Amino acid sequence: MSKLWGGRFTASTDSFTDHFHSSISFDQRMYKQDITGSIAHAAMLGKQGIIPMEDSLLLQKTLKEVLEDIDNGKISFDEKAEDIHMNIETILIERIGDVGKRLHTGRSRNDQVALDIRMYVKEEIKNIELLIKELMEVLNNLAKKHTETIMPGYTHLQRAQPITFAHHLLAYVEMFKRDYARLEDTYKRTNVMPLGSGALASTTYPLDRAFVTEQLGFDSYTLNSLDGVSDRDFCIELLSTLSIIMMHLSRFCEEIILWSSHEFKFVELSDAYSTGSSIMPQKKNPDMAELIRGKTGRVYGYLMGLLTTMKGLPLAYNKDMQEDKEGVFAAIDTLKMCLPVFTAMVDTMEVKKDTMYKATKGGFTNATDAADWLVKQGVPFRDAHEIIGKLVLYCINNNTNLDDLSLEEYQAISPVFNKTVYDAITVEKCVEARNVPGGPSKEYIASLIELNDNYLKTI
Ligand code: ARG
């Protein structure tokens, strides 16, 4: 097969070289974007009188037929035609001869590939946004059921203060809200049309870039042809945004893994999202959560990979940039697998309210509130801290907790205590008393759930 760029060559490339530099194995997934971009380009060439209108119409019609044939699996690509752009052009020329050869007028594969990947990323950002939205809905709805499900809040993985499961879930909703906003922001900078940049220095043909921009649903076009062909910031931003999403999923997975252990028993994953062991009959493993946590590493890797690929590239296009796609595609695929699995896993897990409650009561999570009670009786906070610290030590030595001490035991450590302390340090009181914006009280959490519901209606 002769190359579309074969004119200045006398010998053909070696077949291993063909294999080495070909990208068709992975860039074929952009065939729809490539053809859609070519149709707009052909329409513009005709409208501008750069090629005859009848050629433009034939190109557009044939491109649509090629698209249909690819959709229906009727076309197999050829590694020798290098990439998706030249495979499609080759097919076009096979079908309509010289007219097919006019398509590439005023265009280079450099601006063509920049266009295709931008179109591809735009579409996938929208898909991932939808998955994040579904996850937020599940979390917000789950929170509605758990505004009174008391659990220990942790710092240093040590029981710290009582919160509710709803409060915990809504922390993640906040993270995913930010992720959604980051995707939207990445979308804005991806939504810029590079065609017309040519190979690097634009073109001598009177292209109508605004027309193509509008036809393809872009917001605007790139303002410097060198930048137009060499910018991959939007890919890096996407990978960075996806890395942050994975980091959030991974943290949540880590908690779910801990919570499903016998040591915690805060949740039980549904059988559909756990696996057994081939040797240990008792095991029910949180494999899905572990895999999501594990896959986070790769997504970070794709980000580092592309940052590193780009760091030394002189302007404008360099073939190194062909390396952008596999990481971007793989990261998108990873997110599109992890998000729905995660959402369903959380949606179907059983929440063990009793164990959460017992863990909250047994872990001195009300110690701060006991100290605050003393402060309200006029004791300076540092002294109160010291008194409660002594009481906690006493409890540890006597294997009991603050709620179960007798008034005599309290008063043996400080005469300030009276029986109203009991009511002030129930875990329910500890939660309800934290009725500031941001806190776990049922009242505030209900308002946050409503705010989230309204937000979810707007996206
Ligand atoms: N397959 C190439 C890529 O993905 C397309 C652009 C090729 N341009 C070139 N001048 N060789 O980057």
Side-chain angles (χ1 to χ4, degrees), residues 99-237:
V99 177
K101 293 183 188 166
R102 295 195 197 283
L103 174 65
H104 212 49
T105 315
R107 188 176 72 169
S108 155
R109 267 188 301 153
N110 297 350
D111 55 355
Q112 189 179 357
V113 71
L115 174 75
D116 292 3
I117 188 148
R118 279 176 186 269
M119 288 170 71
Y120 188 88
V121 165
K122 275 176 64 179
E123 211 175 302
E124 293 296 356
I125 287 179
K126 290 294 159 197
N127 291 332
I128 293 171
E129 281 183 358
L130 202 66
L131 296 174
I132 301 262
K133 182 181 176 187
E134 281 165 7
L135 171 56
M136 288 193 282
E137 278 165 354
V138 161
L139 295 177
N140 205 45
N141 287 335
L142 192 58
K144 288 175 194 164
K145 295 189 206 149
H146 292 287
T147 57
E148 290 179 83
T149 305
I150 293 179
M151 70 179 281
Y154 293 82
T155 64
H156 313 271
L157 201 57
Q158 305 285 320
R159 291 173 200 167
Q161 291 176 347
I163 56 168
T164 64
F165 190 50
H167 190 220
H168 198 102
L169 291 170
L170 295 188
Y172 282 98
V173 174
E174 290 303 303
M175 298 178 221
F176 294 123
K177 281 181 346 211
R178 292 194 294 272
D179 289 331
Y180 193 96
R182 267 186 283 271
L183 284 168
E184 283 284 281
D185 208 46
T186 305
Y187 189 89
K188 278 186 217 150
R189 278 178 294 279
T190 309
N191 200 8
V192 187
M193 207 287 298
L195 226 52
S197 302
L200 76 160
S202 79
T203 178
T204 53
Y205 297 98
L207 304 187
D208 185 347
R209 298 191 69 203
F211 173 84
V212 177
T213 300
E214 217 217 287
Q215 288 284 298
L216 295 176
F218 280 87
D219 251 7
S220 59
Y221 50 74
T222 53
L223 300 181
N224 179 302
S225 61
L226 295 169
D227 183 53
V229 289
S230 64
D231 170 31
R232 292 294 182 272
D233 290 4
F234 60 98
C235 294
I236 293 170
E237 281 187 47

Side-chain angles (χ1 to χ4, degrees), residues 1 14 52 81 85 87 211 232 269 278 291 329 348 430 441 448:
M1 173 198 215
D14 135 331
H85 326 293
N87 264 276
F211 173 84
R232 292 294 182 272
L269 293 177
S278 55
L291 264 179
F329 295 159
T348 55
C430 297
S441 79
L448 182 55

